Amino acid sequence: MNACSNIKTIAKRELAGYFASPVAYVFIVIFLLLAGFFTFMLGGFFERREASLISFFMWQPWLSLFLVPAVGMRLWSEERRQGTMELLLTMPVTAWQAIVGKFLASWLFLTLAMVLTFPVIITVNYLGHADNGVIFCGYVGSLLLAGSYLAVSSMTSAMTRNQVISFILSVVICLFLILAGWPPVTDLLVRWAPARLVETVAALSVIPHFEGFQRGVLDSRDLLFFLSIIGFSLFATGVILRNLRSGH
């Protein structure tokens, strides 16, 4: 069995695990309700009088901040709690194949939840002449943002058997990624940190990179930024699992 087959098998197992309980359906309903609430109530969708989904995408970093870690917190914590991680890693599957398989299954689940928001696309096209290219870019950015949060959640989930601790750690790290470039934070850092450190911290913020997608711009630097977060977090997950496997 080759690597792709192993990844596919693990992804199918993980995805089936989501829908084996009511949790997946409850998550999707909550996600859709909150997305609608943020878009139409807080985002002022109708008050804007423009055929765009700005009011939908502007809340995605905050909506995903809590919902994505809720999906990712069980990735490895549950395996460790039930004692099945050792069994999984002793199978003819490498650690990175298991990591990628689990990550892709969870990302696919989040993609499904995002696809189910299609009524807002129909609504904005019905009400005016929407630029669907910009909307498409917004969805690409939202999925990359969710993938970044999910990879961070995978890393925190590998750190502990406790899903609640994993969730809290993930939310804290993702909140840092949101606030890193926020002026009050950088102004605070400027008082005691060197300028280079402030610039480095500000560069870690997901917001400037996500705003490009909201404007309909597919910039390779923004793509690379989100893919780097995903790659680094999954690499860190692998390091943690290898240490657990070796008993350290």
Side-chain angles (χ1 to χ4, degrees):
M1 186 178 289
N2 57 35
C4 290
S5 297
N6 287 341
I7 292 172
K8 186 177 178 181
T9 300
I10 292 173
K12 287 175 65 176
R13 167 183 175 269
E14 189 70 22
L15 195 58
Y18 279 115
F19 291 99
S21 69
V23 175
Y25 304 98
V26 170
F27 171 85
I28 289 175
V29 170
I30 291 175
F31 173 76
L32 294 178
L33 288 175
L34 289 178
F37 176 75
F38 281 113
T39 302
F40 294 101
M41 301 301 290
L42 298 183
F45 177 81
F46 293 108
E47 289 78 3
R48 290 176 178 272
R49 296 182 179 277
E50 57 184 31
S52 73
L53 288 185
I54 291 177
S55 57
F56 173 74
F57 292 119
M58 66 186 292
W59 292 105
Q60 286 304 312
W62 299 99
L63 185 60
S64 298
L65 175 62
F66 295 100
L67 295 182
V68 173
V71 172
M73 66 183 185
R74 62 179 291 276
L75 281 175
W76 294 103
S77 297
E78 187 68 8
E79 299 277 5
R80 292 186 62 183
R81 189 183 66 81
Q82 294 184 348
T84 54
M85 191 181 77
E86 291 77 7
L87 176 63
L88 175 65
L89 296 180
T90 54
M91 295 171 65
V93 177
T94 64
W96 74 266
Q97 290 170 356
I99 292 167
V100 173
K102 280 176 166 284
F103 173 77
L104 290 179
S106 302
W107 205 4
L108 184 60
F109 174 70
L110 293 171
T111 301
L112 174 63
M114 194 69 73
V115 168
L116 292 177
T117 62
F118 70 90
V120 296
I121 302 177
I122 296 175
T123 301
V124 76
N125 276 276
Y126 176 76
L127 295 176
H129 299 289
D131 188 335
N132 288 307
V134 174
I135 293 175
F136 173 77
C137 285
Y139 271 95
V140 171
S142 298
L143 290 175
L144 287 170
L145 180 75
S148 300
Y149 288 179
L150 182 63
V152 170
S153 300
S154 174
M155 178 181 67
T156 60
S157 181
M159 293 177 180
T160 174
R161 299 172 186 268
N162 190 310
Q163 293 189 31
V164 176
I165 294 175
S166 168
F167 174 81
I168 294 172
L169 287 174
S170 181
V171 169
V172 169
I173 295 174
C174 292
L175 181 62
F176 167 77
L177 292 176
I178 292 176
L179 299 179
W182 196 35
V185 175
T186 54
D187 292 344
L188 183 65
L189 289 175
V190 164
R191 298 178 183 176
W192 59 270
R196 186 177 295 276
L197 177 60
V198 176
E199 292 174 2
T200 302
V201 172
L204 294 175
S205 175
V206 297
I207 299 300
H209 297 281
F210 181 64
E211 286 175 345
F213 289 101
Q214 285 182 274
R215 294 193 301 271
V217 178
L218 277 177
D219 193 315
S220 58
R221 290 169 296 183
D222 297 329
L223 287 169
L224 184 62
F225 173 80
F226 286 113
L227 293 177
S228 297
I229 293 179
I230 293 172
F232 173 80
S233 300
L234 294 184
F235 172 77
T237 304
V239 172
I240 295 168
L241 293 181
R242 277 198 294 272
N243 285 335
L244 291 172
R245 199 176 190 178
S246 60
H248 291 102

